Amino acid sequence: WAKADGKGRWTLFDPERNAHRVTRQALSSTLRPALDRGEFALEYQPIVGLDDETLHGAEALVRWRHPRFGTLGPDRFIGLAEENGAIVPLGRWVLEASCRQARRWLDDRPHNPVYVSVNVAVRQVWDSDLVADVERILDDTGLPPGLLQLELTESAVMGSAGRPLQALQALSEMGVRIAIDDFGTGYSNLAYLSRLPVRALKLDGTFVRGFRTARHENPADETIVAALVQLAHELGLTVTAECVEGREQAERLRGIGCDTGQGYYYARPMPAPSLTAWLSRAST
Ligand code: C2E
Ligand code: MG
Ligand code: MG
Ligand code: MG
């Protein structure tokens, strides 16, 4: 009966769940002061050419170096920041720090420019003057607009009329590249996306995950990815595969004609100095 008793108690009061709620609350209310205290940091993950494994770009991924809870990944706090609006100043900080870093890479390696790819939340497009922020940041950092890619999710651009569409158009006219992140997890269609100023697709990791099984065991994912890549190319979009974890996945993606890949097979997200070392290695 111990089990039943335990079960009953847990439905009445779940200490773990309660702790979770307290943590969420604590995190949510301290996002802004934490930003002022400089507790956020960026890691960068290489985006690599599938054909020759050269470095094309790097995605900036935010972390919270929390004084009590240790390093927290974005899945722990980005949602909270979107709910309470802290995503606007946080996103602005991410953009600024990423562009500054990309400018340093360019200064170090003027003949091997790599772009920085920055995640942008829906609310940054709706609730803030993203275009003015980007303009100012590019101006301040001196980063050429062509070395900035903004990653938006399908839901951020779907049905985008009015403000978001104007923002995308203005950014694109500036020379900033717009990419659709986690492509394939939403309901957008390529025909629609191709009419927006979108230049690149980042294929969601779930597609590539199906490649992990032995050859021919799960050909459906490979067929779908091949068709998506072909269509994307015909519509003038480049394609990056996310979550490339193994050599066989990388080879099959290359065979399919996918342009770039990102994932643990190439490198994990790393602090800027490590990527700088990677950069020198990659270009010598
Ligand atoms: P995302 O933009 O799709 O970023 C890729 C995520 O996949 C990263 O997780 C990365 O560490 C992880 N990843 C990379 N390669 C592999 C792999 O081979 N296998 C597996 N299993 N995972 C891989 P991370 O850093 O935890 O970020 C999670 C999400 O948080 C991001 O997904 C993005 O949506 C969001 N995010 C991160 N930084 C920011 C930011 O500055 N602003 C906003 N708005 N969202 C951000
Ligand atoms: Mg992303
Ligand atoms: Mg992604
Ligand atoms: Mg993803």
PDB file of all heavy atoms in Angstrom, residues 159-197:
ATOM      1  N   GLY A 159       1.300  34.295 -42.034  1.00  0.00           N
ATOM      2  CA  GLY A 159       0.219  35.263 -42.042  1.00  0.00           C
ATOM      3  C   GLY A 159       0.735  36.651 -41.719  1.00  0.00           C
ATOM      4  O   GLY A 159      -0.029  37.523 -41.326  1.00  0.00           O
ATOM      5  N   SER A 160       2.039  36.848 -41.865  1.00  0.00           N
ATOM      6  CA  SER A 160       2.595  38.143 -41.517  1.00  0.00           C
ATOM      7  C   SER A 160       2.169  39.156 -42.560  1.00  0.00           C
ATOM      8  O   SER A 160       2.589  39.125 -43.699  1.00  0.00           O
ATOM      9  CB  SER A 160       4.118  38.074 -41.403  1.00  0.00           C
ATOM     10  OG  SER A 160       4.683  37.726 -42.635  1.00  0.00           O
ATOM     11  N   ALA A 161       1.304  39.989 -42.113  1.00  0.00           N
ATOM     12  CA  ALA A 161       0.946  41.144 -42.934  1.00  0.00           C
ATOM     13  C   ALA A 161       1.387  42.337 -42.101  1.00  0.00           C
ATOM     14  O   ALA A 161       1.923  42.163 -41.018  1.00  0.00           O
ATOM     15  CB  ALA A 161      -0.562  41.161 -43.161  1.00  0.00           C
ATOM     16  N   GLY A 162       1.184  43.518 -42.590  1.00  0.00           N
ATOM     17  CA  GLY A 162       1.440  44.710 -41.794  1.00  0.00           C
ATOM     18  C   GLY A 162       2.839  44.780 -41.239  1.00  0.00           C
ATOM     19  O   GLY A 162       3.814  44.551 -41.940  1.00  0.00           O
ATOM     20  N   ARG A 163       2.894  45.019 -39.928  1.00  0.00           N
ATOM     21  CA  ARG A 163       4.163  45.317 -39.280  1.00  0.00           C
ATOM     22  C   ARG A 163       5.263  44.272 -39.507  1.00  0.00           C
ATOM     23  O   ARG A 163       6.366  44.618 -39.927  1.00  0.00           O
ATOM     24  CB  ARG A 163       3.909  45.532 -37.791  1.00  0.00           C
ATOM     25  CG  ARG A 163       5.081  46.130 -37.060  1.00  0.00           C
ATOM     26  CD  ARG A 163       4.756  46.200 -35.569  1.00  0.00           C
ATOM     27  NE  ARG A 163       5.927  46.597 -34.823  1.00  0.00           N
ATOM     28  CZ  ARG A 163       6.190  47.839 -34.456  1.00  0.00           C
ATOM     29  NH1 ARG A 163       5.349  48.790 -34.746  1.00  0.00           N
ATOM     30  NH2 ARG A 163       7.286  48.120 -33.788  1.00  0.00           N
ATOM     31  N   PRO A 164       4.997  42.976 -39.225  1.00  0.00           N
ATOM     32  CA  PRO A 164       6.077  42.012 -39.405  1.00  0.00           C
ATOM     33  C   PRO A 164       6.580  41.952 -40.846  1.00  0.00           C
ATOM     34  O   PRO A 164       7.777  41.879 -41.078  1.00  0.00           O
ATOM     35  CB  PRO A 164       5.441  40.679 -39.008  1.00  0.00           C
ATOM     36  CG  PRO A 164       4.264  41.030 -38.205  1.00  0.00           C
ATOM     37  CD  PRO A 164       3.788  42.354 -38.702  1.00  0.00           C
ATOM     38  N   LEU A 165       5.668  42.010 -41.792  1.00  0.00           N
ATOM     39  CA  LEU A 165       6.087  41.929 -43.190  1.00  0.00           C
ATOM     40  C   LEU A 165       6.937  43.143 -43.569  1.00  0.00           C
ATOM     41  O   LEU A 165       7.971  43.016 -44.225  1.00  0.00           O
ATOM     42  CB  LEU A 165       4.874  41.801 -44.113  1.00  0.00           C
ATOM     43  CG  LEU A 165       5.228  41.646 -45.604  1.00  0.00           C
ATOM     44  CD1 LEU A 165       6.112  40.427 -45.828  1.00  0.00           C
ATOM     45  CD2 LEU A 165       3.974  41.545 -46.463  1.00  0.00           C
ATOM     46  N   GLN A 166       6.490  44.313 -43.108  1.00  0.00           N
ATOM     47  CA  GLN A 166       7.274  45.524 -43.371  1.00  0.00           C
ATOM     48  C   GLN A 166       8.663  45.415 -42.766  1.00  0.00           C
ATOM     49  O   GLN A 166       9.660  45.805 -43.384  1.00  0.00           O
ATOM     50  CB  GLN A 166       6.581  46.753 -42.759  1.00  0.00           C
ATOM     51  CG  GLN A 166       5.503  47.335 -43.648  1.00  0.00           C
ATOM     52  CD  GLN A 166       4.690  48.392 -42.911  1.00  0.00           C
ATOM     53  OE1 GLN A 166       5.146  48.957 -41.916  1.00  0.00           O
ATOM     54  NE2 GLN A 166       3.485  48.645 -43.392  1.00  0.00           N
ATOM     55  N   ALA A 167       8.731  44.849 -41.563  1.00  0.00           N
ATOM     56  CA  ALA A 167      10.024  44.694 -40.891  1.00  0.00           C
ATOM     57  C   ALA A 167      10.919  43.754 -41.697  1.00  0.00           C
ATOM     58  O   ALA A 167      12.084  44.057 -41.947  1.00  0.00           O
ATOM     59  CB  ALA A 167       9.825  44.168 -39.467  1.00  0.00           C
ATOM     60  N   LEU A 168      10.361  42.618 -42.118  1.00  0.00           N
ATOM     61  CA  LEU A 168      11.143  41.665 -42.907  1.00  0.00           C
ATOM     62  C   LEU A 168      11.653  42.309 -44.184  1.00  0.00           C
ATOM     63  O   LEU A 168      12.809  42.123 -44.571  1.00  0.00           O
ATOM     64  CB  LEU A 168      10.306  40.426 -43.263  1.00  0.00           C
ATOM     65  CG  LEU A 168       9.901  39.478 -42.145  1.00  0.00           C
ATOM     66  CD1 LEU A 168       9.275  38.210 -42.723  1.00  0.00           C
ATOM     67  CD2 LEU A 168      11.102  39.120 -41.287  1.00  0.00           C
ATOM     68  N   GLN A 169      10.781  43.062 -44.835  1.00  0.00           N
ATOM     69  CA  GLN A 169      11.182  43.703 -46.085  1.00  0.00           C
ATOM     70  C   GLN A 169      12.290  44.732 -45.858  1.00  0.00           C
ATOM     71  O   GLN A 169      13.276  44.756 -46.593  1.00  0.00           O
ATOM     72  CB  GLN A 169       9.981  44.363 -46.771  1.00  0.00           C
ATOM     73  CG  GLN A 169       9.379  43.441 -47.828  1.00  0.00           C
ATOM     74  CD  GLN A 169       7.900  43.704 -48.089  1.00  0.00           C
ATOM     75  OE1 GLN A 169       7.297  44.599 -47.482  1.00  0.00           O
ATOM     76  NE2 GLN A 169       7.315  42.926 -48.977  1.00  0.00           N
ATOM     77  N   ALA A 170      12.126  45.529 -44.804  1.00  0.00           N
ATOM     78  CA  ALA A 170      13.134  46.555 -44.518  1.00  0.00           C
ATOM     79  C   ALA A 170      14.484  45.909 -44.189  1.00  0.00           C
ATOM     80  O   ALA A 170      15.530  46.343 -44.667  1.00  0.00           O
ATOM     81  CB  ALA A 170      12.664  47.443 -43.365  1.00  0.00           C
ATOM     82  N   LEU A 171      14.452  44.847 -43.391  1.00  0.00           N
ATOM     83  CA  LEU A 171      15.691  44.166 -43.013  1.00  0.00           C
ATOM     84  C   LEU A 171      16.362  43.560 -44.235  1.00  0.00           C
ATOM     85  O   LEU A 171      17.572  43.659 -44.420  1.00  0.00           O
ATOM     86  CB  LEU A 171      15.394  43.082 -41.972  1.00  0.00           C
ATOM     87  CG  LEU A 171      14.993  43.600 -40.599  1.00  0.00           C
ATOM     88  CD1 LEU A 171      14.344  42.489 -39.770  1.00  0.00           C
ATOM     89  CD2 LEU A 171      16.198  44.178 -39.865  1.00  0.00           C
ATOM     90  N   SER A 172      15.541  42.953 -45.067  1.00  0.00           N
ATOM     91  CA  SER A 172      16.060  42.318 -46.266  1.00  0.00           C
ATOM     92  C   SER A 172      16.660  43.349 -47.221  1.00  0.00           C
ATOM     93  O   SER A 172      17.718  43.122 -47.817  1.00  0.00           O
ATOM     94  CB  SER A 172      14.928  41.522 -46.910  1.00  0.00           C
ATOM     95  OG  SER A 172      15.212  41.247 -48.229  1.00  0.00           O
ATOM     96  N   GLU A 173      16.007  44.496 -47.334  1.00  0.00           N
ATOM     97  CA  GLU A 173      16.542  45.562 -48.186  1.00  0.00           C
ATOM     98  C   GLU A 173      17.865  46.101 -47.649  1.00  0.00           C
ATOM     99  O   GLU A 173      18.723  46.547 -48.407  1.00  0.00           O
ATOM    100  CB  GLU A 173      15.524  46.700 -48.340  1.00  0.00           C
ATOM    101  CG  GLU A 173      14.518  46.415 -49.456  1.00  0.00           C
ATOM    102  CD  GLU A 173      13.224  47.219 -49.322  1.00  0.00           C
ATOM    103  OE1 GLU A 173      13.285  48.335 -48.740  1.00  0.00           O
ATOM    104  OE2 GLU A 173      12.178  46.731 -49.779  1.00  0.00           O
ATOM    105  N   MET A 174      18.007  46.041 -46.337  1.00  0.00           N
ATOM    106  CA  MET A 174      19.279  46.451 -45.709  1.00  0.00           C
ATOM    107  C   MET A 174      20.403  45.486 -46.061  1.00  0.00           C
ATOM    108  O   MET A 174      21.570  45.798 -45.893  1.00  0.00           O
ATOM    109  CB  MET A 174      19.099  46.395 -44.185  1.00  0.00           C
ATOM    110  CG  MET A 174      19.072  47.694 -43.468  1.00  0.00           C
ATOM    111  SD  MET A 174      19.002  47.229 -41.703  1.00  0.00           S
ATOM    112  CE  MET A 174      17.387  47.768 -41.329  1.00  0.00           C
ATOM    113  N   GLY A 175      20.016  44.269 -46.455  1.00  0.00           N
ATOM    114  CA  GLY A 175      21.026  43.258 -46.777  1.00  0.00           C
ATOM    115  C   GLY A 175      21.159  42.187 -45.708  1.00  0.00           C
ATOM    116  O   GLY A 175      22.008  41.300 -45.798  1.00  0.00           O
ATOM    117  N   VAL A 176      20.301  42.269 -44.699  1.00  0.00           N
ATOM    118  CA  VAL A 176      20.294  41.258 -43.637  1.00  0.00           C
ATOM    119  C   VAL A 176      19.582  40.014 -44.162  1.00  0.00           C
ATOM    120  O   VAL A 176      18.581  40.117 -44.868  1.00  0.00           O
ATOM    121  CB  VAL A 176      19.564  41.798 -42.380  1.00  0.00           C
ATOM    122  CG1 VAL A 176      19.363  40.715 -41.342  1.00  0.00           C
ATOM    123  CG2 VAL A 176      20.320  42.990 -41.797  1.00  0.00           C
ATOM    124  N   ARG A 177      20.126  38.841 -43.833  1.00  0.00           N
ATOM    125  CA  ARG A 177      19.518  37.608 -44.325  1.00  0.00           C
ATOM    126  C   ARG A 177      18.483  37.077 -43.335  1.00  0.00           C
ATOM    127  O   ARG A 177      18.722  37.027 -42.135  1.00  0.00           O
ATOM    128  CB  ARG A 177      20.613  36.563 -44.522  1.00  0.00           C
ATOM    129  CG  ARG A 177      20.067  35.251 -45.001  1.00  0.00           C
ATOM    130  CD  ARG A 177      21.078  34.393 -45.676  1.00  0.00           C
ATOM    131  NE  ARG A 177      22.360  34.383 -44.997  1.00  0.00           N
ATOM    132  CZ  ARG A 177      23.387  33.670 -45.440  1.00  0.00           C
ATOM    133  NH1 ARG A 177      23.263  32.949 -46.532  1.00  0.00           N
ATOM    134  NH2 ARG A 177      24.525  33.684 -44.792  1.00  0.00           N
ATOM    135  N   ILE A 178      17.331  36.709 -43.849  1.00  0.00           N
ATOM    136  CA  ILE A 178      16.273  36.160 -42.999  1.00  0.00           C
ATOM    137  C   ILE A 178      16.197  34.647 -43.217  1.00  0.00           C
ATOM    138  O   ILE A 178      16.100  34.178 -44.350  1.00  0.00           O
ATOM    139  CB  ILE A 178      14.888  36.767 -43.357  1.00  0.00           C
ATOM    140  CG1 ILE A 178      14.934  38.307 -43.407  1.00  0.00           C
ATOM    141  CG2 ILE A 178      13.812  36.268 -42.395  1.00  0.00           C
ATOM    142  CD1 ILE A 178      15.132  38.988 -42.090  1.00  0.00           C
ATOM    143  N   ALA A 179      16.232  33.898 -42.118  1.00  0.00           N
ATOM    144  CA  ALA A 179      16.114  32.447 -42.192  1.00  0.00           C
ATOM    145  C   ALA A 179      14.917  31.986 -41.372  1.00  0.00           C
ATOM    146  O   ALA A 179      14.550  32.620 -40.385  1.00  0.00           O
ATOM    147  CB  ALA A 179      17.388  31.787 -41.666  1.00  0.00           C
ATOM    148  N   ILE A 180      14.309  30.899 -41.818  1.00  0.00           N
ATOM    149  CA  ILE A 180      13.223  30.295 -41.046  1.00  0.00           C
ATOM    150  C   ILE A 180      13.814  29.174 -40.196  1.00  0.00           C
ATOM    151  O   ILE A 180      14.379  28.214 -40.722  1.00  0.00           O
ATOM    152  CB  ILE A 180      12.122  29.726 -41.971  1.00  0.00           C
ATOM    153  CG1 ILE A 180      11.559  30.824 -42.880  1.00  0.00           C
ATOM    154  CG2 ILE A 180      11.009  29.076 -41.140  1.00  0.00           C
ATOM    155  CD1 ILE A 180      10.894  31.972 -42.144  1.00  0.00           C
ATOM    156  N   ASP A 181      13.685  29.323 -38.875  1.00  0.00           N
ATOM    157  CA  ASP A 181      14.244  28.356 -37.927  1.00  0.00           C
ATOM    158  C   ASP A 181      13.278  27.192 -37.716  1.00  0.00           C
ATOM    159  O   ASP A 181      12.061  27.364 -37.831  1.00  0.00           O
ATOM    160  CB  ASP A 181      14.480  29.072 -36.588  1.00  0.00           C
ATOM    161  CG  ASP A 181      15.494  28.355 -35.719  1.00  0.00           C
ATOM    162  OD1 ASP A 181      16.021  27.307 -36.133  1.00  0.00           O
ATOM    163  OD2 ASP A 181      15.761  28.862 -34.613  1.00  0.00           O
ATOM    164  N   ASP A 182      13.819  26.039 -37.399  1.00  0.00           N
ATOM    165  CA  ASP A 182      13.006  24.849 -37.091  1.00  0.00           C
ATOM    166  C   ASP A 182      11.987  24.571 -38.188  1.00  0.00           C
ATOM    167  O   ASP A 182      10.849  24.176 -37.904  1.00  0.00           O
ATOM    168  CB  ASP A 182      12.274  25.009 -35.743  1.00  0.00           C
ATOM    169  CG  ASP A 182      13.229  25.337 -34.615  1.00  0.00           C
ATOM    170  OD1 ASP A 182      14.379  24.873 -34.666  1.00  0.00           O
ATOM    171  OD2 ASP A 182      12.825  26.064 -33.687  1.00  0.00           O
ATOM    172  N   PHE A 183      12.383  24.781 -39.433  1.00  0.00           N
ATOM    173  CA  PHE A 183      11.436  24.614 -40.522  1.00  0.00           C
ATOM    174  C   PHE A 183      10.903  23.183 -40.553  1.00  0.00           C
ATOM    175  O   PHE A 183      11.655  22.219 -40.439  1.00  0.00           O
ATOM    176  CB  PHE A 183      12.068  24.943 -41.880  1.00  0.00           C
ATOM    177  CG  PHE A 183      11.105  24.764 -43.010  1.00  0.00           C
ATOM    178  CD1 PHE A 183      10.131  25.708 -43.256  1.00  0.00           C
ATOM    179  CD2 PHE A 183      11.129  23.610 -43.787  1.00  0.00           C
ATOM    180  CE1 PHE A 183       9.194  25.530 -44.268  1.00  0.00           C
ATOM    181  CE2 PHE A 183      10.197  23.410 -44.807  1.00  0.00           C
ATOM    182  CZ  PHE A 183       9.234  24.379 -45.037  1.00  0.00           C
ATOM    183  N   GLY A 184       9.607  23.078 -40.737  1.00  0.00           N
ATOM    184  CA  GLY A 184       8.969  21.772 -40.812  1.00  0.00           C
ATOM    185  C   GLY A 184       8.169  21.440 -39.570  1.00  0.00           C
ATOM    186  O   GLY A 184       7.398  20.484 -39.554  1.00  0.00           O
ATOM    187  N   THR A 185       8.325  22.243 -38.513  1.00  0.00           N
ATOM    188  CA  THR A 185       7.572  21.966 -37.287  1.00  0.00           C
ATOM    189  C   THR A 185       6.251  22.736 -37.260  1.00  0.00           C
ATOM    190  O   THR A 185       5.387  22.459 -36.451  1.00  0.00           O
ATOM    191  CB  THR A 185       8.381  22.337 -36.026  1.00  0.00           C
ATOM    192  OG1 THR A 185       8.751  23.725 -36.131  1.00  0.00           O
ATOM    193  CG2 THR A 185       9.634  21.500 -35.914  1.00  0.00           C
ATOM    194  N   GLY A 186       6.113  23.698 -38.133  1.00  0.00           N
ATOM    195  CA  GLY A 186       4.882  24.490 -38.157  1.00  0.00           C
ATOM    196  C   GLY A 186       4.028  24.119 -39.347  1.00  0.00           C
ATOM    197  O   GLY A 186       4.127  23.018 -39.872  1.00  0.00           O
ATOM    198  N   TYR A 187       3.229  25.034 -39.788  1.00  0.00           N
ATOM    199  CA  TYR A 187       2.295  24.730 -40.854  1.00  0.00           C
ATOM    200  C   TYR A 187       2.512  25.573 -42.102  1.00  0.00           C
ATOM    201  O   TYR A 187       1.654  25.642 -42.968  1.00  0.00           O
ATOM    202  CB  TYR A 187       0.852  24.903 -40.358  1.00  0.00           C
ATOM    203  CG  TYR A 187       0.524  23.982 -39.235  1.00  0.00           C
ATOM    204  CD1 TYR A 187       0.619  24.406 -37.916  1.00  0.00           C
ATOM    205  CD2 TYR A 187       0.162  22.659 -39.494  1.00  0.00           C
ATOM    206  CE1 TYR A 187       0.352  23.543 -36.873  1.00  0.00           C
ATOM    207  CE2 TYR A 187      -0.109  21.789 -38.462  1.00  0.00           C
ATOM    208  CZ  TYR A 187      -0.018  22.238 -37.148  1.00  0.00           C
ATOM    209  OH  TYR A 187      -0.282  21.384 -36.132  1.00  0.00           O
ATOM    210  N   SER A 188       3.651  26.225 -42.167  1.00  0.00           N
ATOM    211  CA  SER A 188       3.849  27.091 -43.313  1.00  0.00           C
ATOM    212  C   SER A 188       4.148  26.257 -44.549  1.00  0.00           C
ATOM    213  O   SER A 188       4.570  25.114 -44.455  1.00  0.00           O
ATOM    214  CB  SER A 188       5.005  28.050 -43.052  1.00  0.00           C
ATOM    215  OG  SER A 188       6.175  27.337 -42.780  1.00  0.00           O
ATOM    216  N   ASN A 189       3.919  26.830 -45.693  1.00  0.00           N
ATOM    217  CA  ASN A 189       4.301  26.117 -46.897  1.00  0.00           C
ATOM    218  C   ASN A 189       5.338  26.926 -47.659  1.00  0.00           C
ATOM    219  O   ASN A 189       5.433  28.142 -47.546  1.00  0.00           O
ATOM    220  CB  ASN A 189       3.081  25.770 -47.751  1.00  0.00           C
ATOM    221  CG  ASN A 189       2.404  27.009 -48.304  1.00  0.00           C
ATOM    222  OD1 ASN A 189       2.961  27.686 -49.158  1.00  0.00           O
ATOM    223  ND2 ASN A 189       1.225  27.306 -47.797  1.00  0.00           N
ATOM    224  N   LEU A 190       6.113  26.196 -48.423  1.00  0.00           N
ATOM    225  CA  LEU A 190       7.249  26.811 -49.095  1.00  0.00           C
ATOM    226  C   LEU A 190       6.830  27.851 -50.114  1.00  0.00           C
ATOM    227  O   LEU A 190       7.500  28.867 -50.279  1.00  0.00           O
ATOM    228  CB  LEU A 190       8.078  25.725 -49.781  1.00  0.00           C
ATOM    229  CG  LEU A 190       9.161  25.102 -48.915  1.00  0.00           C
ATOM    230  CD1 LEU A 190       9.799  23.927 -49.625  1.00  0.00           C
ATOM    231  CD2 LEU A 190      10.207  26.151 -48.582  1.00  0.00           C
ATOM    232  N   ALA A 191       5.713  27.599 -50.779  1.00  0.00           N
ATOM    233  CA  ALA A 191       5.251  28.557 -51.783  1.00  0.00           C
ATOM    234  C   ALA A 191       5.004  29.911 -51.126  1.00  0.00           C
ATOM    235  O   ALA A 191       5.384  30.959 -51.643  1.00  0.00           O
ATOM    236  CB  ALA A 191       3.984  28.047 -52.448  1.00  0.00           C
ATOM    237  N   TYR A 192       4.379  29.871 -49.948  1.00  0.00           N
ATOM    238  CA  TYR A 192       4.112  31.107 -49.222  1.00  0.00           C
ATOM    239  C   TYR A 192       5.413  31.776 -48.767  1.00  0.00           C
ATOM    240  O   TYR A 192       5.612  32.980 -48.952  1.00  0.00           O
ATOM    241  CB  TYR A 192       3.200  30.814 -48.030  1.00  0.00           C
ATOM    242  CG  TYR A 192       2.982  32.018 -47.145  1.00  0.00           C
ATOM    243  CD1 TYR A 192       2.100  33.023 -47.535  1.00  0.00           C
ATOM    244  CD2 TYR A 192       3.677  32.167 -45.957  1.00  0.00           C
ATOM    245  CE1 TYR A 192       1.919  34.142 -46.747  1.00  0.00           C
ATOM    246  CE2 TYR A 192       3.497  33.279 -45.167  1.00  0.00           C
ATOM    247  CZ  TYR A 192       2.620  34.265 -45.564  1.00  0.00           C
ATOM    248  OH  TYR A 192       2.459  35.355 -44.778  1.00  0.00           O
ATOM    249  N   LEU A 193       6.286  30.964 -48.185  1.00  0.00           N
ATOM    250  CA  LEU A 193       7.555  31.513 -47.680  1.00  0.00           C
ATOM    251  C   LEU A 193       8.375  32.161 -48.791  1.00  0.00           C
ATOM    252  O   LEU A 193       9.042  33.162 -48.580  1.00  0.00           O
ATOM    253  CB  LEU A 193       8.384  30.418 -47.017  1.00  0.00           C
ATOM    254  CG  LEU A 193       7.911  29.940 -45.646  1.00  0.00           C
ATOM    255  CD1 LEU A 193       8.837  28.848 -45.132  1.00  0.00           C
ATOM    256  CD2 LEU A 193       7.853  31.095 -44.662  1.00  0.00           C
ATOM    257  N   SER A 194       8.297  31.561 -49.980  1.00  0.00           N
ATOM    258  CA  SER A 194       9.118  32.067 -51.077  1.00  0.00           C
ATOM    259  C   SER A 194       8.659  33.453 -51.531  1.00  0.00           C
ATOM    260  O   SER A 194       9.396  34.173 -52.184  1.00  0.00           O
ATOM    261  CB  SER A 194       9.094  31.093 -52.252  1.00  0.00           C
ATOM    262  OG  SER A 194       7.829  31.136 -52.879  1.00  0.00           O
ATOM    263  N   ARG A 195       7.448  33.811 -51.152  1.00  0.00           N
ATOM    264  CA  ARG A 195       6.968  35.157 -51.500  1.00  0.00           C
ATOM    265  C   ARG A 195       7.395  36.187 -50.465  1.00  0.00           C
ATOM    266  O   ARG A 195       7.259  37.382 -50.661  1.00  0.00           O
ATOM    267  CB  ARG A 195       5.444  35.151 -51.651  1.00  0.00           C
ATOM    268  CG  ARG A 195       5.028  34.832 -53.091  1.00  0.00           C
ATOM    269  CD  ARG A 195       3.534  34.807 -53.266  1.00  0.00           C
ATOM    270  NE  ARG A 195       3.045  33.431 -53.347  1.00  0.00           N
ATOM    271  CZ  ARG A 195       2.127  32.893 -52.560  1.00  0.00           C
ATOM    272  NH1 ARG A 195       1.561  33.617 -51.624  1.00  0.00           N
ATOM    273  NH2 ARG A 195       1.761  31.643 -52.719  1.00  0.00           N
ATOM    274  N   LEU A 196       7.890  35.708 -49.336  1.00  0.00           N
ATOM    275  CA  LEU A 196       8.419  36.617 -48.312  1.00  0.00           C
ATOM    276  C   LEU A 196       9.906  36.804 -48.565  1.00  0.00           C
ATOM    277  O   LEU A 196      10.533  36.002 -49.249  1.00  0.00           O
ATOM    278  CB  LEU A 196       8.217  36.001 -46.920  1.00  0.00           C
ATOM    279  CG  LEU A 196       6.786  35.712 -46.480  1.00  0.00           C
ATOM    280  CD1 LEU A 196       6.792  35.025 -45.127  1.00  0.00           C
ATOM    281  CD2 LEU A 196       5.979  36.994 -46.419  1.00  0.00           C
ATOM    282  N   PRO A 197      10.491  37.881 -48.000  1.00  0.00           N
ATOM    283  CA  PRO A 197      11.930  38.072 -48.209  1.00  0.00           C
ATOM    284  C   PRO A 197      12.771  37.115 -47.358  1.00  0.00           C
ATOM    285  O   PRO A 197      13.599  37.532 -46.567  1.00  0.00           O
ATOM    286  CB  PRO A 197      12.148  39.537 -47.809  1.00  0.00           C
ATOM    287  CG  PRO A 197      10.990  39.911 -46.969  1.00  0.00           C
ATOM    288  CD  PRO A 197       9.864  38.996 -47.276  1.00  0.00           C
TER     289      PRO A 197
END
